[in-house]
Amino acid sequence: MTNFGFNIKKIRESKGLSLSDVEEKLGITKGLISRYENNLVDPSLSTAVKFAEFYSVSLDYLVSPK
């Protein structure tokens, strides 16, 4: 999911959310969210779905090239 991190960071920033905001809502640590956003680790499918639901976008959108 090489574009996943770029896409979730872009959405988070466009919504004016901090890492702390996302951490609070999804129950995922800021450190792990940062690693996802920097494409250092790939999320599990269930975690990717959590992000898609939280940001109200499709999973296809999150993994698509931009």
Side-chain angles (χ1 to χ4, degrees), residues 47-66:
T47 299
V49 169
K50 281 185 186 181
F51 277 100
E53 290 173 348
F54 177 66
Y55 289 132
S56 299
V57 297
S58 70
L59 190 54
D60 288 342
Y61 177 82
L62 289 182
V63 299
S64 67
K66 298 291 176 198

Side-chain angles (χ1 to χ4, degrees), residues 3-63:
N3 291 309
F4 181 84
F6 172 80
N7 292 338
I8 63 169
K9 184 174 184 176
K10 184 174 80 171
I11 295 169
R12 178 180 60 78
E13 291 176 343
S14 74
K15 293 182 177 279
L17 298 170
S18 68
L19 288 173
S20 296
D21 295 330
V22 179
E23 175 184 45
E24 183 180 311
K25 297 293 184 183
L26 295 182
I28 301 169
T29 67
K30 291 183 289 189
L32 185 53
I33 296 166
S34 178
R35 288 192 298 257
Y36 292 148
E37 288 186 350
N38 289 296
N39 290 311
L40 298 175
V41 295
D42 289 330
S44 66
L45 180 58
S46 62
T47 299
V49 169
K50 281 185 186 181
F51 277 100
E53 290 173 348
F54 177 66
Y55 289 132
S56 299
V57 297
S58 70
L59 190 54
D60 288 342
Y61 177 82
L62 289 182
V63 299

